[in-house]
Amino acid sequence: MDRDLIAKLEDKAKEIRRDIIRMIGEAGSGHPGGSLSGADIVTVLYFHAMRIKPEEPHWPDRDRFVLSKGHAAPLLYAALAERGYFPKEELMTLRKLGSRLQGHPDLNKVPGVEMSTGSLGQGLSVANGMALAGKLDNRDYKVYVLLGDGEIQEGMIWEAAMAAAHFKLDNVIAFLDHNGFQIDGPTSDIMNPEPVADKWRAFGWHVLSIDGHDLAQILQAIEEAKRLKGKPVMIVAKTIKGKGVSFMENQVGWHGVAPKPDEMERALAELK
Amino acid sequence: MSKIATRDAYGKALVRLGEENKDIVVLDADLAKSTKTIDFAKAFPERFFDLGIAEQNLIGTAAGLSLSGKIPFASSFAMFATGRAFEQVRNSVAYPKLNVKIAATHAGITVGEDGASHQTVEDIAIMRALPNMTVIVPADGIETEQAVRAAAGYKGPVYIRLGRSAVPVIYDDDYKFEIGKASVLREGKDVTVFATGIMVSAALDAADSLAGEGVEVEVINVSTIKPLDAETVVRSLQKTKAGVTAEEHSIIGGLGAAVAELSCENCPVPLVRVGIKDVFGESGTPNELLVKYGLTSEDIVQAVRNVLQRK
């Protein structure tokens, strides 16, 4: 594994986590827990794996990313801004009246946002549609999707899971941000989705299980997924809700609560 | 008068459009034989996707296809396309203003024997309430072909409401449908009947019989419920000073409501709504149901008489 690449991605992931904290702190509301848990995955996608042209957001051959768990919008915005889709200063307008940065992503407002999401369970179907269009047009782009482990309680996810395998959408690469929590508590208590890997496998997917904070493992899983033919790929990524900020980690209370100024300072200090 | 079901015209229109435009793709949810998308499936198998019995995924997949430049027509029964998948239509199609056409068949009570679970009489209301959504209810086969063509050429979400049963052909082959334009089928000075879908031919029949009583009825086919052709509607009401609406839909939220809202704000006149009176339907033949639920030309005649007394 390329040490320089890992080091670069580590820095980017930290910067993105700092932006997430700053944005949500400034906004006074938002979802830090699930934004931080998916940060390493999204960092690898936007700063290494995806074939994109930020200066040409609608380039037809670009890889697509669908943030199905739309409440992690700060994570997506931070990555897009860091990648140059729009000025970083704008991050501080999150959730404010007149801002392009809505509480959940709006594709008509923000360059680089591929789909408006927020209502859980809808992203995978949309990714399938993009993938079908890619096959029809003989384009070799990939469609990446980030799903939450609470989100897969929605029935529509399994409609889409069935369809992706049925249509042999090997251009769909999904990540399950498996942090084990949803608003009301641990997913295992609220509506246990386990065994998740077996479920996706049973639906006809190729499933990889990784540590969602180990950049080398994320890189490797994506490489493997890109090579695989004939099946969609689900990368079950074990993550920690609130990862990177000690007092937020694995705390269900930090699902949708903004840090106060002193908490923000402590969080940013930890993310130095 | 020859008869053709609007769903049959839809199937044929799709095939013709598919030949002309390779970006047209069609999706169905295990009802291709009923919605008539089967014609397209046979002609262009690579551009047809059957999603199985999964309407939410049907709409979401159509959204994704549109985001990569395709013009998807997603079809199912009106009940499920607008009811089962309402939230997907709202959040994954209407809100992002995607170029998805939802062409739903078996709308209204004339789906018949299947009964209330399959008879949607609220779909116009539901779709009309969505920002960005265009709502079209063709009156016959000719208008259906035109509407499908217009929808394909329009960039944005469109709902096209189609029926199961054969309906009389009203228009000539040279008819030109335009989104957002109502068409005046018959001029009159005493009362305006605004009709949509299968009720247009009933309205014409009603106008014929009222002519025998010396009542001159203006008949307007409102095939685009949204955006409503406010100019044509208001101009006619200002002239006749009385209105009747006729639709195979609930009197709540559909054409009757749309005309009433517009009338109240611009030219208040007596108005009577012919439609389903806030009840669920039941099994029966289409004609039996039209009689039971008050959707015949005779019901329109009675409504005209009522409204004229209030003038």
Side-chain angles (χ1 to χ4, degrees):
Chain A
M1 216 17 96
D2 182 339
R3 287 243 176 109
D4 290 346
L5 173 63
I6 302 277
K8 178 194 122 184
L9 291 173
E10 264 171 11
D11 284 349
K12 285 291 179 196
K14 257 191 191 164
E15 178 61 17
I16 279 168
R17 285 194 163 92
R18 282 194 292 269
D19 282 339
I20 289 167
I21 296 297
R22 288 191 199 107
M23 293 168 78
I24 299 176
E26 174 67 26
S29 71
H31 297 83
S35 296
L36 293 169
S37 67
D40 296 299
I41 295 162
V42 169
T43 299
V44 173
L45 288 175
Y46 275 92
F47 294 92
H48 179 72
M50 288 205 319
R51 184 175 71 192
I52 46 176
K53 290 184 184 176
E55 69 284 3
E56 197 184 333
H58 296 290
W59 177 44
D61 286 313
R62 73 194 182 280
D63 288 338
R64 276 83 167 151
F65 174 70
V66 177
L67 180 70
S68 192
K69 43 174 284 182
H71 55 279
L75 165 58
L76 176 58
Y77 296 152
L80 290 173
E82 189 69 25
R83 199 68 175 75
Y85 283 88
F86 58 86
K88 274 194 79 168
E89 306 87 77
E90 209 172 325
L91 292 177
M92 294 305 125
T93 68
L94 173 73
R95 288 177 168 249
K96 291 186 175 161
L97 191 66
S99 170
R100 297 196 285 185
L101 307 186
Q102 297 291 295
H104 294 80
D106 182 338
L107 77 95
N108 289 309
K109 289 195 160 80
V110 186
V113 170
E114 295 283 358
M115 180 57 185
S116 302
T117 50
S119 177
L120 294 175
Q122 302 192 18
L124 187 55
S125 300
V126 176
N128 288 349
M130 293 171 172
L132 284 170
K135 296 238 174 218
L136 271 179
D137 292 342
N138 290 316
R139 294 187 192 277
D140 66 349
Y141 61 75
K142 301 284 184 192
V143 187
Y144 296 93
V145 195
L146 186 64
L147 299 166
D149 54 355
E151 175 180 25
I152 62 169
Q153 289 161 357
E154 289 282 4
M156 184 187 183
I157 287 291
W158 302 101
E159 296 182 2
M162 215 184 303
H166 178 82
F167 292 123
K168 301 186 171 61
L169 297 181
D170 49 15
N171 45 354
V172 169
I173 300 174
F175 283 90
L176 185 69
D177 185 1
H178 197 10
N179 63 36
F181 289 95
Q182 57 194 108
I183 300 182
D184 275 357
T187 49
S188 54
D189 290 355
I190 305 304
M191 183 49 64
N192 192 358
E194 298 299 342
V196 283
D198 289 348
K199 285 195 173 98
W200 287 93
R201 213 168 275 127
F203 272 75
W205 287 56
H206 185 78
V207 180
L208 302 168
S209 293
I210 62 165
D211 175 342
H213 301 305
D214 183 325
L215 295 166
Q217 284 191 39
I218 299 169
L219 283 162
Q220 211 170 4
I222 293 173
E223 284 314 309
E224 188 177 336
K226 278 183 177 173
R227 280 195 303 271
L228 221 115
K229 295 280 168 232
K231 278 181 171 190
V233 179
M234 166 54 77
I235 301 170
V236 176
K238 185 78 203 87
T239 57
I240 292 169
K241 194 143 181 165
K243 171 73 179 176
V245 178
S246 61
F247 57 92
M248 290 184 177
E249 287 189 0
N250 287 323
Q251 297 301 312
V252 71
W254 283 102
H255 175 90
V257 174
K260 295 183 185 66
D262 60 313
E263 291 166 331
M264 205 161 94
E265 264 179 49
R266 277 165 59 205
L268 291 174
E270 289 188 18
L271 290 167
K272 275 250 167 69
Chain B
M1 236 189 298
S2 66
K3 282 187 158 194
I4 177 177
T6 50
R7 62 171 167 149
D8 287 313
Y10 167 59
K12 291 187 173 67
L14 275 185
V15 174
R16 277 195 279 272
L17 263 178
E19 280 160 10
E20 294 165 23
N21 187 341
K22 67 171 179 42
D23 286 333
I24 304 267
V25 296
V26 175
L27 300 88
D28 207 302
D30 196 42
L31 290 169
K33 290 184 198 76
S34 299
T35 62
K36 302 299 175 187
T37 61
I38 191 78
D39 300 345
F40 186 95
K42 284 180 183 154
F44 311 102
E46 73 289 354
R47 281 192 269 150
F48 175 79
F49 305 103
D50 199 327
L51 279 308
I53 308 162
E55 294 78 13
Q56 304 172 44
N57 189 40
L58 170 86
I59 298 299
T61 307
L65 280 156
S66 79
L67 281 165
S68 291
K70 301 298 168 195
I71 306 171
F73 278 78
S75 290
S76 179
F77 286 180
M79 180 65 252
F80 312 120
T82 66
R84 185 59 165 262
F86 168 71
E87 215 250 48
Q88 286 71 21
V89 173
R90 181 190 186 274
N91 279 330
S92 285
V93 175
Y95 166 51
K97 212 175 177 179
L98 297 184
N99 198 24
V100 173
K101 318 303 165 187
I102 300 158
T105 64
H106 295 64
I109 56 165
T110 49
V111 57
E113 292 82 347
D114 279 344
S117 64
H118 285 53
Q119 296 165 344
T120 176
V121 295
E122 56 285 277
D123 56 321
I124 296 176
I126 293 169
M127 292 294 105
R128 193 167 78 87
L130 290 176
N132 297 334
M133 186 61 79
T134 291
V135 180
I136 302 173
V137 186
D140 72 354
I142 305 276
E143 189 168 45
T144 299
E145 159 119 25
Q146 291 280 323
V148 169
R149 196 166 284 277
Y154 167 85
K155 206 164 162 51
V158 178
Y159 176 61
I160 305 176
R161 183 189 213 233
L162 304 165
R164 174 191 176 208
S165 308
V167 291
V169 174
I170 292 161
Y171 288 105
D172 298 330
D173 284 328
D174 56 2
Y175 170 66
K176 262 279 173 252
F177 166 86
E178 206 181 315
I179 292 175
K181 286 274 175 280
S183 67
V184 180
L185 294 173
R186 180 176 177 133
E187 298 208 17
K189 61 175 176 48
D190 297 323
V191 60
T192 311
V193 176
F194 301 99
T196 194
I198 64 164
M199 295 306 286
V200 175
S201 69
L204 288 168
D205 291 345
D208 277 343
S209 66
L210 284 158
E213 300 174 17
V215 179
E216 291 182 33
V217 180
E218 183 145 297
V219 179
I220 297 182
N221 170 23
V222 186
S223 43
T224 309
I225 310 282
K226 188 186 174 189
L228 189 62
D229 184 349
E231 200 188 320
T232 301
V233 172
V234 170
R235 197 196 307 126
S236 181
L237 287 177
Q238 281 168 342
K239 177 172 76 172
T240 63
K241 299 193 169 52
V244 166
T245 61
E247 62 197 305
E248 188 201 7
H249 182 271
S250 171
I251 54 166
I252 298 172
L255 170 68
V259 170
E261 289 159 11
L262 194 67
S263 167
C264 268
E265 285 187 341
N266 295 280
C267 53
V269 297
L271 199 73
V272 173
R273 293 169 296 161
V274 172
I276 313 280
K277 308 280 190 291
D278 195 23
V279 291
F280 287 106
E282 65 184 88
S283 292
T285 67
N287 280 333
E288 286 169 343
L289 293 166
L290 289 172
V291 171
K292 167 146 189 180
Y293 292 98
L295 297 174
T296 65
S297 62
E298 183 51 34
D299 293 299
I300 297 174
V301 168
Q302 284 301 336
V304 167
R305 288 185 187 134
N306 291 348
V307 86
L308 286 176
Q309 280 176 6
R310 288 165 49 203
K311 229 176 140 175

